[in-house]
Structures are given as C-alpha cells and as structure tokens.
Amino acid sequence: MSNYVTAIGLDVHARSISACAFDPMTGEVSRARFGYDPASVAEWALGFESPKAVYESGPTGFHLCRALRALGVDCAVGAVSKMHRPAADRGRKNDRRDAEWL
C-alpha cells in the first residue's frame, strides 16, 4: 500500500460537476465533466489510487458529498471563505479552474 493520495477537486452546480484529479506520483492531472450523477463521479474517482475528494461548499454539494461517501469515496466540504486564492486568479473564474484550484 502506498503513502500518497490522489487529490480530486469538484466544482458542483445544479446540473453539472467539473472534476480535476492530481496524482502526486506521476504528476498527471486528469479532468472530467459530469451531469449531476454521483454514481458516475464515484466510478471515475475510484479508478484512482487512494482518492480523496473536496468540493467548495454551497447548496448543491451536500447531497453529493453524502452520496459519494456512501459509494466509498472519501469526500470533504471545503469552506471557500477559508481557502486562499491567488490574486491573479480572482478575475478568471470558470468551472475547470475552480476544480483545479480545489
């Protein structure tokens, strides 16, 4: 068993989910986009070794977090107000960048 985790950031909306996974062993970044379907997100996430997911808090994500945990994916809710975003990124907000940042 390895001592690293694959970090997965999720940008969650009412009808879509943007995901970005970072594998620290290979440096590989994988991206995916889903409809609001926790099962397909869990299937994608469980394809990585030791996946741990986080999404920015909001009204659309709490159901997703509970569903992912039930499907075997370790998921946490990140408080956006507590996360520090670089000043250069503040003006260029989109779903893919948000998932990468998380």
Side-chain angles (χ1 to χ4, degrees):
M1 180 161 178
S2 64
N3 292 333
Y4 76 96
V5 299
T6 300
I8 299 174
L10 302 171
D11 188 45
V12 182
H13 296 279
R15 294 189 180 116
S16 67
I17 299 169
S18 294
C20 183
F22 173 68
D23 185 339
M25 290 298 287
T26 64
E28 181 180 352
V29 175
S30 301
R31 294 177 188 87
R33 189 159 173 85
F34 305 95
Y36 195 87
D37 179 23
S40 59
V41 175
E43 181 180 351
W44 178 77
L46 290 172
F48 298 103
E49 187 170 343
S50 302
K52 296 206 186 273
V54 64
Y55 76 91
E56 58 185 332
S57 60
T60 58
F62 290 100
H63 171 264
L64 177 67
C65 185
R66 285 190 295 269
L68 288 176
R69 287 178 182 164
L71 293 168
V73 177
D74 187 6
C75 185
V77 179
V80 178
S81 62
K82 301 294 182 190
M83 296 181 206
H84 297 285
R85 182 173 217 132
D89 287 348
R90 289 194 178 124
R92 302 176 300 166
K93 184 168 172 46
N94 66 36
D95 295 344
R96 183 184 57 83
R97 282 196 181 114
D98 284 351
E100 288 175 3
W101 175 65
L102 288 166

